[in-house]
Amino acid sequence: MKRFVYADNAATTPVSREVIEAMTPIFETSWGNPSSLHEKGREAKDILDDARERIAKVFNCDSSEIYFTSCGTESDNWAIRGAAMRMKAKGKTHIVTSAIEHHAVLHTCKALEKEGFTVDYVGVDADGIVNLDELRSLVTEKTALVTVMYANNEVGTIEPIEEIVEIAHAKGALMFTDAVQAVGNVDIDLSKLKVDMLSLSGHKIHAPKGIGMLYIRKGVVINNLIEGGGQERRKRAGTENLPYIVGLCRALEIAKENLPELDEVAKKRDRLIEGLTKIPYSKLNGHRTLRLAGNANVGFEFIEGESLLLWLDIAGICASTGSACSTASLEPSHVLIAMGVPHEKAHGSLRLTISRETTDEDIDYIIENVTSVVEKLRNMSPLWEDVVKREQTV
Ligand SMILES: *Cc1c(COP(=O)(O)O)cnc(C)c1O
């Protein structure tokens, strides 16, 4: 029987009922502008302050270190550009990032290259883990910023962020991490994790699209990206999106409460990976254990990922070949290429990102359908014919 299975939670997540319920009274009643001095404004300001305090508790940081933005992309742009421009004044014009970053980071770095900064892209191993020895050799006294993602959005690999922070700080560089995929998947305690900046996005954790956050450690000063009014302690102008800020706050609290349940999600993920890698000529992409609880990314030889997606869509399964942002282009994933996956194999990859909502029946349904679609597509492929012939002769 046909089902509907949403397995693309790395692209976006549905807004949860609790988040909608937390936001509704702000739309209906507390719609004031937090900058207004009258009663309606003060009411909004109190709610804003409360949300910031509660988020600070989630991350064990100070509320003055939290800045609300419009999305993960803005937070990434601000952190990188703001730090680069600030450090330039001290003669530091070098940036180190990784080859597997989200385009919000990679394209910001590319733009800065055109503006006179030098950028080095540290490589990763076959599992997608940043090469720490190479990183050590790249970071120098000229380095303004090291920016490495906490967890990768395509293959789900979790990076050794503590070590990366140490390497950056040893040379006096700032350290920023794009934690958009890690938040809700990893317990992040900012009193222990010594990153200078960290970004996150609402819509990856069951809050709406169009709300993000940047954490900036006390004492770290970066330039503004958006100029205007005096909001966010004069660091990020624009009237605060209070309903979404409250939604983000609730989503972060729920995500933290639910961390213990990730073991269950990881068990389902492992069963999914086990089922999919039983298919001949398939391979898991990303680290076996140091990976996000909901991420399964498997490569299948002799097929096109896009064809696989279309057939799965017909079966009611929402999946992805890599990141949602690169599906418009037919370029193979820069992440898989950086991991050393050959071009032709990178084209046949499938990313399934499950959640707490995913049931055991959903997992069975995915395995069944991927297995039959891969077989169907291979039977139409001349390359596959050769493989079958070769196998028959041995
Ligand atoms: C989704 C995502 C972003 C962008 O966040 P938006 O809120 O969609 O702009 C940045 N980095 C990573 C790793 C992501 O997965």
Side-chain angles (χ1 to χ4, degrees), residues 10 71-74 76 102 104 149 151 153 178 180-181 201 203-204:
C71 59
T73 300
E74 184 195 324
D76 288 354
H102 189 273
M149 68 201 321
N153 48 304
D178 171 343
V180 173
Q181 293 290 337
S201 171
H203 76 100
K204 306 288 175 77

Side-chain angles (χ1 to χ4, degrees), residues 160-206:
I161 291 299
E162 281 106 341
E163 278 102 320
I164 296 171
V165 174
E166 269 179 38
I167 292 169
H169 285 176
K171 293 285 164 55
L174 290 174
M175 166 67 199
F176 164 60
T177 189
D178 171 343
V180 173
Q181 293 290 337
V183 168
N185 274 295
V186 182
D187 193 11
I188 298 176
D189 180 337
L190 287 170
S191 74
K192 298 204 180 93
L193 186 72
K194 298 297 181 194
V195 293
D196 298 293
M197 297 173 286
L198 175 144
S199 65
L200 61 88
S201 171
H203 76 100
K204 306 288 175 77
I205 54 163
H206 304 281

